């Protein structure tokens, strides 16, 4: 691809002539077929979340989080109360529509409305949520909100470079790996190299289509087992004649 040149013969990026700052993420409720993503609230969600997190065999799910594990319901409620007092990060609860219970959280953070950039982070999915279609739908609902409603250009995912499950999840969902920021963070007394991933607006139609197709009821049998993996759906969209 040939570079776009300015009047001085220098390569420059593509023009964005109609760009305007986008709205900041809001405390909205996003309803799906399997789950609802709604603003995190201590009174509505803290007890359900603590109970769901307590189903884990140990505290391994919190190793790569900046907080946790929580020893008591009161400790967890205090944390939820604190994080809901700010707009960035803006935390949401994932409510399983079958049970009406909150089973995980995720946040929109490092918000940059001027440039249309935001990160999904603080993803804390309980054993009731991890590896289920509900978890995929929760991620899809937040992506769709950011791209389709807010009109953002870039959606980021960052994690400890040693967090293999998070890195695998990012690629499965359609994020592109961008590289490692070395010694980027100090947390829990440890140094963190941060792995960066993103989806940009030009990729979203393809990424979103694959997610919608995978989440379709037609893709699951009567026992709830997937007929095609998300990677297979994406590959078929990329190579429709094969």
């Amino acid at each position: 691809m040939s570079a776009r040149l300015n009047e001085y013969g220098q390569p420059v990026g593509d023009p964005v002539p109609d760009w305007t700052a986008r709205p900041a993420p809001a405390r909205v409720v996003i309803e799906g077929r399997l789950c609802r993503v709604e603003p995190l609230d201590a009174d509505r969600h803290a007890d359900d979340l603590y109970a769901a997190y307590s189903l884990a065999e140990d505290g391994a799910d919190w190793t790569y989080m900046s907080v946790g594990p929580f020893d008591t319901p009161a400790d967890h409620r205090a944390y939820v109360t604190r994080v809901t007092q700010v707009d960035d990060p803006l935390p949401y609860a994932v409510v399983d529509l079958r049970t009406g219970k909150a089973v995980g959280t995720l946040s929109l953070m490092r918000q940059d409305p001027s440039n249309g950039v935001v990160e999904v982070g603080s993803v804390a999915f309980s054993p009731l949520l991890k590896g289920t279609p509900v978890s995929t739908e929760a991620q899809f609902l937040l992506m769709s909100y950011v791209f389709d409603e807010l009109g953002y250009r870039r959606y980021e995912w960052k994690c400890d470079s040693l967090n293999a499950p998070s890195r695998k999840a990012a690629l499965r969902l359609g994020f592109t790996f961008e590289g490692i920021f070395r010694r980027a963070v100090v947390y829990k007394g440890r140094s963190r190299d941060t792995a960066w991933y993103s989806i940009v607006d030009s990729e979203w139609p393809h990424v979103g289509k694959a997610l919608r197709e995978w989440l379709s009821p037609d893709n699951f049998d009567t026992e709830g087992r997937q007929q095609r993996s998300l990677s297979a759906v994406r590959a078929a969209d990329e190579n429709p004649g094969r």
Side-chain angles (χ1 to χ4, degrees), residues 4 13-21 153:
R4 185 181 298 272
D14 292 336
V16 190
D18 300 321
W19 174 255
T20 58
R153 304 174 66 232

Side-chain angles (χ1 to χ4, degrees), residues 168-187:
K168 181 179 179 181
L171 294 175
R172 174 183 175 272
L173 290 168
F175 286 82
T176 295
F177 175 60
E178 295 183 326
I180 303 291
F181 278 32
R182 299 178 298 165
R183 295 181 179 266
V185 175
V186 175
Y187 74 129

Side-chain angles (χ1 to χ4, degrees), residues 83-113:
V83 299
T84 53
Q85 302 306 305
V86 298
D87 294 329
D88 188 0
L90 183 60
Y92 299 87
V94 180
V95 177
D96 188 329
L97 293 182
R98 294 175 305 168
T99 64
K101 302 288 189 180
V103 289
T105 64
L106 67 177
S107 299
L108 291 177
M109 58 199 299
R110 295 170 62 98
Q111 301 164 18
D112 183 1

Side-chain angles (χ1 to χ4, degrees), residues 7 11 31-32 56 60 62 67 72 81 84 86 97 100-101 110 128 130 158 170 204 227 230 232:
E7 64 269 32
E31 196 86 16
W62 300 96
V67 298
T72 67
T81 300
T84 53
V86 298
L97 293 182
K101 302 288 189 180
R110 295 170 62 98
L128 296 175
K130 290 194 301 180
K158 304 186 187 78
W204 170 241
Q227 302 299 297
L230 183 51

Side-chain angles (χ1 to χ4, degrees), residues 134-209:
V134 180
S135 69
T136 300
E137 185 181 67
Q139 294 282 4
F140 167 73
L141 291 175
L142 209 56
M143 290 181 198
S144 183
Y145 171 61
V146 167
F147 283 116
D148 297 332
E149 294 194 36
L150 298 183
Y152 275 49
R153 304 174 66 232
R154 176 179 168 87
Y155 192 68
E156 298 177 337
W157 177 298
K158 304 186 187 78
C159 63
D160 191 312
S161 64
L162 301 176
N163 188 349
S166 181
R167 298 187 65 171
K168 181 179 179 181
L171 294 175
R172 174 183 175 272
L173 290 168
F175 286 82
T176 295
F177 175 60
E178 295 183 326
I180 303 291
F181 278 32
R182 299 178 298 165
R183 295 181 179 266
V185 175
V186 175
Y187 74 129
K188 292 185 173 178
R190 309 189 305 260
S191 178
R192 182 180 106 167
D193 292 354
T194 298
W196 283 59
Y197 298 80
S198 73
I199 300 169
V200 297
D201 53 356
S202 60
E203 298 165 340
W204 170 241
H206 173 64
V207 172
K209 180 175 182 290

